[in-house]
Each structure stands twice: as structure tokens, then as C-alpha cells.
Amino acid sequence: MRTGVVVGLAALVAMGLGACAPEDNSSGASSTPSGADACAKDKLAVKTAGALTVGTDKPAYEPWFSNNDPSNGKGYESAVTYAVAKKLGFEQAEVTWKTVQFNTAFAPGPKAFDLDVNQVSISEERRKAVDFSSGYYDVRQTVITTAGSKIANAKSVAELADAKLGAQVGTTSYTALRDQVKPKQTPAVFDTNDLAVQALKNKQIDGIVVDLPTAFYMTAAQLDNGKIVGQLPSSGTTEQFGFVLEKGSKLTGCVTQAVDALKSDGTLANLQKQYLTESGAPELS
Amino acid sequence: MSDWQPSALQLERIAYRRRRARRSTLIAVVSSVVLLVLVAVGIGSTPGWPRVRDTFFDFHRGWEALPVVAQGLWLNIRVMLVCAVLIVIFGMTLAIMRTLRGPIFFPLRVFAAAYTDVFRGLPLLLVIFLLGFGVPALQLRGLPNQAVIWGGAALVLTYSSYVAEVFRAGIESVHPSQRAAARSLGLTYRQTLRFVVLPQAVRRVLPPLLNDFVSLQKDSGLIAVLGVIDAIRAAQLETAEDFNFTPYVVAGLLFVALTIPLTRLTDYVARRQGWYGGGGGPV
């Protein structure tokens, strides 16, 4: 995501939906714990002894959370958080949720949470202010349209080739449109995503390529009968959401270790399938 | 006549003029070279020059971007050609409407005046947004939906108002005696306009008209805001890949390469019309 998404950032922040940020190839924490023991539950430097305090914004949106209740363990981010907590040795009852506004998660100074989960993209600029765990979600490019459009029921990328698709100039969405969808018609390229939405409403284009968080926002808030056609197969896209921790937090290494373990044992993939794919953003073959 | 010899005085005059001409040429060459060297040294010695050279004048990057940008330019050219024809027709119609005489034509005159007032006043970009996104939003059956058509319509509406004013100036510059003579020969109003006034008017305004078309050629790029990929948008997409601005320079060069022949044509036409010094050459 380049310049274009900075524009989207404001809207997303306002929605509490999350954010996209400049591309970032590196991930992972600055410090590595010396051994498995260092991440034992009783050695963790948590804010409240015996409890893991997790922050997120209110309202907490689908499909990242469910029913505006982070503590029910439903929704992708809620489920991942409980999985991480479990790796760190905390039972479900020992996880405490705290409302933390998106912006204040980055505010300098001590934090009231052990970790914050709010669709925050990892970036080098932000890393100057806070710590990030390694990414728990790779932001994926998605095709959206309106109900009744000719691509509304497309199941594969190949079915999109004949459609007139649009994207914002200078974004990874455009790159994905060009390189992955390989449309037969010249794509429409807009200065902002809002203009693309207007063109879609006017039926001047058949669909828009945007990242998944923006897709959820556009289909829910900007379009009357918006529909996510599906996620493009993941490619070199490296924008990732990560847990936010206080700058220099002793927990960072342990959370990163937990996220990496969940990634390698397939838990993250399963949760993505359960909460993102089945909540209306199917995979395109 | 054949055994005529210029006098010694005349030979001296010719020699003197030749010396002066040679001196002028020499001074012109030297001053141009000095200026160029000064500019080159001045820019080349700025601290940021190497970075500017790499980001704006990277030959390889430019060569790489050329096909894509040229493909975008093809859209600009097609839009411009189609619009130019329509603009001449609409512009001329408006100009004639505005110069019609007689109380019965009052509504036409008012319409033409209001039209030019509105569309010369509205920023082109605004008209493009209003037509390009606004009309398709009406979801009217039978109307085209393509961005490029409505973008072109916006260009036609705006430029017709400029061109109408140019035509009107030409029509009003034809001396009243021309009309009076035509009418006294028994020509009708329509015939006077067709055979006497318009031919003179059009010849007179050809250079400013061509000027408007050079301008139209560049403004055809503004319809990129509707989503179509023209030369500048193509360059922007290339630039977004690696933040190297050379593709913009390539687009600029292509536009200039397009407009220079048009400009030379304008000069040529102007000279043929005797615009400079009443046919007597520069004074």
C-alpha cells in the first residue's frame, strides 16, 4: 500500500475498522526471548498479575469481532487473541478486555494494556512509537461489486477477466488488478477510492479491487447492496496486521513467539477460514 | 538592364549590410552559447542535481515507460480529434446564434450569451466531474455510461464556449460595408452570412482557433479523473512503481512533440493571412 492508502487511513480510523499503512517487508519483534522459560506465565511482565489485559476499539466490528463483544472469542481478532493468550498460559477467564481508541494505541507514554488488537498495520514509522508482534494477518486484496453485477457470482479469478474493474492509483490493489486479474479491458484508475465507489454505483465499472478491511467498509457503509466477490490468491503482498505493545515491552518477544507458533501449526489459517472467508469474503480460485 | 552595374556607393552599402548581418549572427551565437553554458553549469552544480537527474531524467526508465505512456497518449489524441470536430460545429452555431439580428431571435441570443457565460466561467475539471459522475448516476436508459464519452462531452461544452467567442470576434470584425455591399447586391441575410461574412471571419480567427486546439489537446488529459488511462495517468502509474518521475517527463515530451507541429502550423497560417505587418514581412 502506498500513498493512496494513506487517504483511506483516515476513513478507516474513523470507523474504528483498522488501517492500512505503507508497505513493510520486515516483521517480527526486536527482541527474542532467551528461552522457552522466559515466556512462562509467571515470568511475564503483565500489567495486572495473573491477567492479560487486551485493548481494542469500541465498537468492535465484524468480522474481526462479533456482536461488538471482544470477550466472546468469536470473530477473527478475538479468536486469535484467545489463542495467543492460551499459548502464553492464560485461561479464557484471565483475559481482560479494555476499550482503547485506535489513535491512543499509538500515543506515546505508558500503555494501559499488555497488547492491543485493532487491525493495525505494521510499519517502520509506527515501530518508532510502539512495538509490534509479528503479523497475525496478511492483508489480502479483494474484489467487491454490487448485487446483480455480472461478476457478483464469480468463483475464480479467470471469471473476472472480462469485467471492467477499477482501483486507486498507486496502490498495491492496482498492482494486484494488473498482475493477478490480468483484465482484458483497460482498468479504470481513480485518484481516490471514493471516486471508484461512485463509478461502481453508476455501473461505469463492474467492480473495485481493494484490500479486505477496506472491502468490508465499502460494502457495509458506502454501498447499498455491496458484495465482496472474493479475495484474490495471496501474492507477494506483505502488509500485515500485528499486535501493538508498549515500546520496549518485555512481552513483545513472547507474543511474537506465540503468533509464530499459531502460524506454523495452522491455527491462524483455520481461524481466517472460519471468520473471514465464511463471513462473506470467499477465496477466489 | 543586363549591363547594369551597381555603383561603388551601392556596393559599399551592400558590403556594410553584410558585415552588420555577420556581426549580429556572431553575437547571437555567442550569447546563446554563454547562456546555455551558464544554465548547465548552474543547474549541474546544485547539490540536488544528481538526485534530480536520477529521478527525473533516467534515460532507461524513460525508454521503459515510453510504450505505456504512448498508448495513453493515443487516447488523448482520439479524444482531441473527435472533440475538435464537435467543438467547431457547436462553437460556430453558438457564434451565429449570438450575432443574429432582429427581435425574433432574442431568445437565441440570450441562450448563446448565457451559455458562454456559464461554460467559460465553470472550471473544466468541475464540468468533467459533474458530467462524468453525475449523468451516469441518473441511471437513464439509453444514455451511454462510459467515462470517456462524458469526459469528452465536458470538453466539448467548455471549449465550445471559448471557440464561440473566437468565432464571434471574427464575425464582428468583418466591416459593416461588406454586409451592406452584399445586401445591396440582392443577397439575403443567410447568403450574406454564408458567402461574405463567414469566409472572411474564419480566415481571420484561424490562428487563435488553432491555439485553442493546442490547449484542448492538453486538457484532454483531465478526463483521467473519471478513471480512463491517458498519457499522464499512465505515467503516474509507472511512477507509483518506483517513485521515479521520468515517465512524467516522457509524457511531457510527447505532448510537446504533438503541439509543436500544431504551433508551427498556426504560425504558418498566420503568416499566410498576413497577420504580421500586413503582408510586408517583419518591420
Side-chain angles (χ1 to χ4, degrees):
Chain A
M1 309 260 96
R2 292 175 205 267
T3 50
V5 178
V6 177
V7 177
L9 184 70
L12 288 171
V13 170
M15 288 299 294
L17 234 184
C20 317
E23 246 177 78
D24 173 22
N25 287 323
S26 61
S27 61
S30 42
S31 61
T32 333
S34 47
D37 278 338
C39 289
K41 183 184 172 189
D42 50 343
K43 291 196 179 138
L44 289 175
V46 291
K47 299 280 170 189
T48 314
L52 188 66
T53 316
V54 186
T56 194
D57 204 353
K58 195 174 194 156
Y61 279 95
E62 311 272 356
W64 312 103
F65 297 95
S66 175
N67 292 328
N68 193 18
D69 176 15
S71 64
N72 59 14
K74 290 179 186 152
Y76 180 69
E77 290 192 330
S78 180
V80 171
T81 306
Y82 280 109
V84 168
K86 200 173 172 194
K87 285 274 177 205
L88 295 174
F90 293 93
E91 295 300 317
Q92 182 146 1
E94 291 172 309
V95 176
T96 322
W97 288 88
K98 233 181 140 60
T99 303
V100 176
Q101 279 197 339
F102 186 83
N103 301 344
T104 55
F106 305 107
K111 304 282 188 284
F113 53 78
D114 292 318
L115 47 106
D116 185 78
V117 54
N118 203 355
Q119 303 111 56
V120 184
S121 293
I122 301 168
S123 79
E124 286 309 312
E125 287 77 15
R126 290 170 172 181
R127 221 187 268 283
K128 287 173 193 156
V130 291
D131 276 4
F132 281 107
S133 71
S134 55
Y136 57 83
Y137 175 70
D138 292 345
V139 175
R140 296 273 298 278
Q141 296 301 326
T142 311
V143 180
I144 68 161
T145 186
T146 46
S149 119
K150 68 177 184 181
I151 57 166
N153 297 314
K155 295 277 179 288
S156 68
V157 177
E159 289 174 63
L160 302 173
D162 288 322
K164 178 89 177 169
L165 297 174
Q168 188 182 330
V169 65
T171 56
T172 42
S173 305
Y174 172 74
T175 320
L177 168 56
R178 185 192 59 192
D179 297 343
Q180 288 189 270
V181 180
K182 297 194 177 72
K184 287 180 190 144
Q185 296 188 58
T186 320
V189 184
F190 299 92
D191 288 325
T192 66
N193 269 331
D194 289 342
L195 291 179
V197 167
Q198 186 59 47
L200 178 62
K201 281 182 180 168
N202 289 349
K203 305 191 193 310
Q204 289 168 299
I205 53 176
D206 298 317
I208 310 175
V209 181
V210 285
D211 55 63
L212 186 61
T214 313
F216 280 126
Y217 170 68
M218 281 181 173
T219 49
Q222 290 189 291
L223 292 162
D224 288 336
N225 42 12
K227 183 178 190 301
I228 295 178
V229 180
Q231 306 180 58
L232 296 176
S234 63
S235 66
T237 323
T238 49
E239 184 185 349
Q240 290 180 315
F241 290 161
F243 288 103
V244 176
L245 295 99
E246 195 173 305
K247 179 78 182 166
S249 167
K250 294 189 175 67
L251 278 176
T252 309
C254 297
V255 176
T256 288
Q257 222 170 44
V259 171
D260 290 345
L262 292 171
K263 195 179 288 173
S264 53
D265 70 10
T267 309
L268 290 184
N270 281 337
L271 291 176
Q272 277 171 27
K273 189 161 179 293
Q274 184 180 352
Y275 291 109
L276 301 179
T277 312
E278 285 170 8
S279 77
E283 301 272 344
L284 291 170
S285 55
Chain B
M1 285 298 274
S2 57
D3 51 338
W4 174 79
Q5 287 292 327
S7 67
L9 188 62
Q10 175 66 8
L11 283 174
E12 199 181 311
R13 275 196 204 111
I14 291 173
Y16 174 76
R17 281 182 193 144
R18 205 172 283 148
R19 274 202 309 278
R20 298 303 291 179
R22 227 177 290 149
R23 188 165 166 269
S24 299
T25 312
L26 190 69
I27 291 175
V29 168
V30 169
S31 79
S32 303
V33 168
V34 166
L35 183 69
L36 279 177
V37 168
L38 278 181
V39 167
V41 169
I43 293 180
S45 63
T46 52
W49 170 244
R51 234 180 75 81
V52 168
R53 190 187 49 208
D54 290 347
T55 26
F56 286 86
F57 304 103
D58 181 340
F59 182 80
H60 284 288
R61 187 71 187 87
W63 184 250
E64 206 176 79
L66 184 64
V68 190
V69 177
Q71 204 183 353
L73 191 73
W74 177 227
L75 179 81
N76 293 88
I77 295 174
R78 281 178 299 171
V79 166
M80 178 214 162
L81 289 178
V82 173
C83 288
V85 173
L86 294 172
I87 288 166
V88 165
I89 296 170
F90 283 128
M92 180 65 95
T93 311
L94 283 165
I96 292 175
M97 275 163 79
R98 206 167 171 187
T99 46
L100 287 177
R101 282 149 202 206
I104 192 165
F105 295 121
F106 179 74
L108 287 185
R109 284 200 298 271
V110 167
F111 170 78
Y115 180 94
T116 40
D117 281 356
V118 169
F119 283 101
R120 267 201 316 175
L122 280 178
L124 177 56
L125 193 58
L126 205 79
V127 181
I128 289 178
F129 272 127
L130 288 179
L131 280 188
F133 286 127
V135 177
L138 298 173
Q139 302 282 320
L140 292 172
R141 274 181 200 285
L143 277 186
N145 217 356
Q146 283 93 334
V148 68
I149 290 182
W150 290 110
L155 282 173
V156 171
L157 283 182
T158 304
Y159 269 84
S160 296
S161 64
Y162 292 125
V163 169
E165 287 299 279
V166 171
F167 275 133
R168 185 165 75 102
I171 290 172
E172 289 181 349
S173 78
V174 177
H175 199 271
S177 64
Q178 296 283 320
R179 285 175 188 266
R183 295 309 293 273
S184 63
L185 284 172
L187 269 62
T188 62
Y189 185 90
R190 182 194 292 264
Q191 285 170 327
T192 308
L193 202 63
R194 164 78 184 79
F195 297 110
V196 178
V197 178
L198 286 185
Q200 299 186 61
V202 171
R203 277 164 62 100
R204 284 187 192 174
V205 298
L206 223 43
L209 273 186
L210 286 173
N211 194 40
D212 273 344
F213 288 134
V214 172
S215 183
L216 170 70
Q217 194 174 327
K218 294 177 295 175
D219 282 351
S220 65
L222 284 177
I223 65 172
V225 296
L226 302 179
V228 297
I229 299 181
D230 78 320
I232 299 170
R233 182 69 97 197
Q236 188 183 11
L237 288 170
E238 288 289 306
T239 298
E241 298 275 313
D242 53 6
F243 297 132
N244 187 315
F245 288 81
T246 312
Y248 281 125
V249 177
V250 172
L253 289 175
L254 288 180
F255 270 109
V256 171
L258 261 188
T259 50
I260 282 181
L262 252 184
T263 318
R264 287 294 91 79
L265 181 67
T266 312
D267 287 349
Y268 170 74
V269 171
R271 216 172 292 122
R272 252 180 55 129
Q273 302 294 326
W275 264 54
Y276 303 126
V283 180

